[in-house]
Amino acid sequence: MERKAVLVDDHALLRNGLAGLVKELGYQVLFEADTGKEFTEKLKKEDLPDIVLLDINMPRMDGYDTAAWIKRHYPDIRILALSMYDDENAIIRMLKNGAGGYILKDTEPAELKKAMDAVCSKGFYYSEMVTGRLIHSIHSMQEDNSPAKALAGLNDRELEFLKLASTELTYKEIAEQMHLSPRTIDGYRDDLFEKLNIRSRVGLVLFAIKNGIVRL
């Protein structure tokens, strides 16, 4: 059965080109929308999409607000975030708001199909851009049914840091909230990078989400 997709992007030329590509990849395009607001108005309960390809920077409900709205009202609809920029904060925020994946608009058609298929079937797609090697180590831990293995070596302060790192606070603001020096916070971060085999803040957030330290 053909899966249904909706495209939400305020760049009409890019959106139209993407719509044609999505159809070639075997998806039915239910409709297109310029803004998140237009998307909510066009969406019909009796004919919901399987996946929404969602731009981030839009007027009248941006991608963050639209993703949160979808998650709140129609949690079964999958979301794939699209962006022109590889921005760490944008990735973190979109994942926390309910997106199952984040890819760049200039991605190759083969990767777009791979991402859409994965988000529809598994609920998530994390490209190398987003995760580096993180997702593989998390998957292997999950396959062993031992997520506790990854958490066993973490103390309470490191867990607290992980929770705060999953917000939009800067490292300096995290230091202030934990009543520690910025240098100590840097130490926590670097220790966690080494313990968890992670190389970025996005990786820490994904680890925290996967292991139930923070909730989406």
Side-chain angles (χ1 to χ4, degrees):
M1 186 177 176
E2 198 174 40
R3 287 172 171 155
K4 302 172 185 176
V6 166
L7 280 60
V8 188
D9 192 322
D10 64 330
H11 294 95
L13 197 60
L14 285 175
R15 190 184 69 239
N16 293 339
L18 186 60
L21 176 58
V22 167
K23 291 173 185 174
E24 289 178 13
L25 296 178
Y27 285 75
Q28 175 189 352
V29 177
L30 284 182
F31 64 85
E32 302 172 34
D34 282 327
T35 67
K37 183 66 175 172
E38 184 182 2
F39 165 77
T40 64
E41 292 166 351
K42 283 187 171 182
L43 194 65
K44 296 178 181 177
K45 290 182 181 179
E46 64 274 14
D47 194 18
L48 296 174
D50 297 291
I51 186 170
V52 174
L53 276 63
L54 186 58
D55 186 25
I56 295 176
N57 297 312
M58 299 180 292
R60 299 182 70 227
M61 276 185 79
D62 62 17
Y64 306 116
D65 291 340
T66 306
W69 184 92
I70 294 171
K71 180 183 168 188
R72 188 164 60 249
H73 292 92
Y74 298 100
D76 290 336
I77 295 177
R78 307 297 194 182
I79 303 168
L80 179 61
L82 300 173
S83 177
M84 295 291 289
Y85 310 104
D86 176 5
D87 180 78
E88 185 175 90
N89 289 329
I91 295 169
I92 291 172
R93 194 171 169 193
M94 283 302 290
L95 292 175
K96 290 190 70 180
N97 281 21
Y102 184 109
I103 63 173
L104 298 180
K105 289 184 178 180
D106 62 357
T107 190
E108 293 293 326
E111 184 177 355
L112 175 62
K113 178 170 173 53
K114 186 178 176 183
M116 292 179 68
D117 290 349
V119 169
C120 282
S121 60
K122 296 187 293 185
F124 63 88
Y125 173 77
Y126 300 135
S127 65
E128 290 300 316
M129 174 196 77
V130 174
T131 64
R133 296 174 182 164
L134 168 76
I135 202 67
H136 303 107
S137 61
I138 287 180
H139 277 167
S140 62
M141 285 185 286
Q142 288 181 327
E143 286 163 7
D144 292 339
N145 294 317
S146 57
K149 187 188 298 183
L151 303 175
L154 305 187
N155 60 42
D156 289 344
R157 291 297 258 173
E158 287 172 329
L159 289 172
E160 183 183 359
F161 170 78
L162 262 179
K163 290 177 183 177
L164 292 171
S166 300
T167 69
E168 294 176 44
L169 294 175
T170 65
Y171 286 129
K172 182 180 179 182
E173 289 167 338
I174 291 172
E176 291 171 357
Q177 191 149 330
M178 292 183 69
H179 305 291
L180 296 169
S181 71
R183 181 173 293 182
T184 301
I185 289 298
D186 288 345
Y188 278 135
R189 179 197 62 209
D190 294 343
D191 285 347
L192 285 172
F193 282 172
E194 186 172 344
K195 284 182 181 180
L196 303 176
N197 190 27
I198 290 170
R199 298 184 179 183
S200 69
R201 184 170 179 174
V202 171
L204 292 177
V205 174
L206 289 172
F207 176 86
I209 292 169
K210 286 273 179 189
N211 289 280
I213 297 167
V214 296
R215 300 293 179 188
L216 285 174

